[in-house]
Amino acid sequence: VCSSDLYCATFYPSCTTTDLGGNTVVQPPSHMMVRTIIRSDEVGYPWLAPAGTRRGVVDNAIQIGYIDSATGEFQSLTVNQALRDILYANNVNPITFIPGVGITNFGNKTLQATSTALDRINVARLVAFLRGKLTNIAQQYLFEPNDAITRASIGSAITSLMIDLVSKR
């Protein structure tokens, strides 16, 4: 369970898809979202929300729904505006069908309990991206003298990174 991780996000509902043998199988929403996030990064950047009609289209699901606990059968579900609003208010990102578009992620919230910028998936991913890039920059300066030349060089590398990020929105 990732409920204590500030970078975790929850999605609803599940979906049907096909396995490698062509059989229809039920998968959790994480199945849809891992691929959707990868596809989002192919057309954008990690700091852009993997949601909506440009970067949130789910292309690895046939239909959305849930498994009925009484019957064990998959039940197709319509995630309408009212349900989307309730889910989103509870930090659950709704996955819905949009006519003319298809199955689409319609949310961008993390499980961050307090209202900060980190309660958005794209911001949390930007922070993770920056941590990785800044770590790479800093590692180049291990055991270098702590002087004006080293600090200027680090500052220059960080400024270049930030200018690049700004140019990429």
Coordinates of all heavy atoms in Angstrom, one line a residue, residues 1-11 91 93 109-112 118 121 124:
V1 N 0.9 -1.2 0.0 CA 0.0 0.0 0.0 C 0.9 1.2 0.0 O 1.9 1.3 0.7 CB -0.9 0.0 1.2 CG1 -1.8 1.2 1.3 CG2 -1.8 -1.2 1.2
C2 N 0.6 2.2 -0.8 CA 1.4 3.4 -0.9 C 0.7 4.6 -0.3 O 1.1 5.7 -0.6 CB 1.7 3.6 -2.4 SG 0.3 4.1 -3.4
S3 N -0.2 4.4 0.6 CA -0.9 5.6 1.2 C 0.0 6.5 1.9 O -0.4 7.7 2.1 CB -2.0 5.1 2.1 OG -1.5 4.3 3.1
S4 N 1.2 6.1 2.4 CA 2.0 7.0 3.1 C 3.0 7.7 2.2 O 3.8 8.6 2.6 CB 2.8 6.3 4.2 OG 3.6 5.3 3.6
D5 N 3.1 7.3 0.9 CA 4.0 7.9 0.0 C 3.4 9.2 -0.7 O 2.3 9.1 -1.3 CB 4.4 6.9 -1.1 CG 5.5 7.4 -2.0 OD1 5.7 8.6 -2.1 OD2 6.2 6.5 -2.6
L6 N 4.0 10.3 -0.5 CA 3.5 11.6 -1.1 C 3.4 11.6 -2.6 O 2.7 12.4 -3.2 CB 4.4 12.7 -0.6 CG 4.5 12.9 0.9 CD1 5.4 14.1 1.2 CD2 3.1 13.1 1.6
Y7 N 4.1 10.7 -3.2 CA 4.1 10.6 -4.7 C 3.2 9.6 -5.3 O 3.1 9.4 -6.5 CB 5.5 10.3 -5.2 CG 6.5 11.4 -4.9 CD1 7.4 11.3 -3.8 CD2 6.6 12.6 -5.7 CE1 8.2 12.4 -3.5 CE2 7.5 13.6 -5.4 CZ 8.3 13.5 -4.3 OH 9.2 14.5 -4.0
C8 N 2.4 9.0 -4.4 CA 1.5 7.9 -4.8 C 0.2 8.5 -5.3 O -0.2 9.6 -4.9 CB 1.2 7.0 -3.7 SG 0.3 5.5 -4.1
A9 N -0.5 7.9 -6.3 CA -1.8 8.3 -6.8 C -2.7 7.1 -6.9 O -2.2 6.0 -7.1 CB -1.6 9.0 -8.1
T10 N -4.0 7.4 -6.8 CA -5.0 6.3 -6.9 C -5.9 6.6 -8.1 O -6.3 7.8 -8.3 CB -5.8 6.2 -5.6 OG1 -4.9 6.0 -4.5 CG2 -6.8 5.1 -5.7
F11 N -6.3 5.6 -8.8 CA -7.1 5.7 -10.0 C -8.3 4.8 -9.9 O -8.2 3.7 -9.2 CB -6.3 5.4 -11.2 CG -5.2 6.4 -11.5 CD1 -4.0 6.1 -10.9 CD2 -5.4 7.5 -12.2 CE1 -2.9 7.0 -11.1 CE2 -4.3 8.4 -12.4 CZ -3.1 8.2 -11.8
N91 N -9.4 12.5 -3.7 CA -8.1 12.2 -4.2 C -8.0 10.9 -5.0 O -6.9 10.2 -5.0 CB -7.0 12.2 -3.1 CG -6.9 13.6 -2.5 OD1 -7.2 14.6 -3.1 ND2 -6.4 13.7 -1.3
N93 N -8.3 9.6 -8.8 CA -8.3 10.1 -10.2 C -9.2 9.2 -11.0 O -9.0 8.0 -11.2 CB -6.9 10.1 -10.8 CG -6.0 11.0 -10.1 OD1 -6.2 12.2 -10.1 ND2 -5.0 10.4 -9.4
K109 N -4.3 14.0 -9.4 CA -4.0 14.2 -7.9 C -3.1 13.1 -7.4 O -3.3 11.9 -7.7 CB -5.3 14.2 -7.1 CG -6.0 15.6 -7.2 CD -7.1 15.6 -6.2 CE -7.7 17.0 -6.1 NZ -8.7 17.1 -5.0
T110 N -2.3 13.5 -6.4 CA -1.5 12.5 -5.6 C -2.3 12.3 -4.4 O -3.4 12.9 -4.1 CB -0.1 13.0 -5.3 OG1 -0.2 14.1 -4.4 CG2 0.7 13.3 -6.5
L111 N -1.8 11.4 -3.5 CA -2.5 11.2 -2.2 C -2.0 12.2 -1.1 O -2.3 12.0 0.1 CB -2.3 9.7 -1.7 CG -3.0 8.7 -2.6 CD1 -2.7 7.3 -2.1 CD2 -4.5 8.9 -2.6
Q112 N -1.3 13.2 -1.5 CA -0.8 14.2 -0.6 C -2.0 14.8 0.2 O -3.0 15.2 -0.4 CB -0.1 15.4 -1.4 CG 0.2 16.6 -0.6 CD 1.6 16.4 0.2 OE1 2.3 15.5 -0.2 NE2 1.8 17.2 1.1
L118 N 2.5 19.7 -4.4 CA 2.8 18.2 -4.5 C 1.6 17.4 -4.5 O 1.7 16.2 -4.6 CB 3.8 17.8 -3.4 CG 5.2 18.2 -3.5 CD1 6.0 17.8 -2.3 CD2 5.8 17.5 -4.7
I121 N 0.1 15.2 -9.6 CA 1.1 14.2 -10.2 C 2.2 14.8 -11.0 O 3.4 14.5 -10.8 CB 0.3 13.2 -11.1 CG1 -0.6 12.3 -10.2 CG2 1.3 12.3 -11.9 CD1 -1.6 11.5 -11.0
A124 N 4.7 16.4 -8.6 CA 5.5 15.4 -7.9 C 6.6 14.8 -8.9 O 7.7 14.6 -8.5 CB 4.6 14.4 -7.4

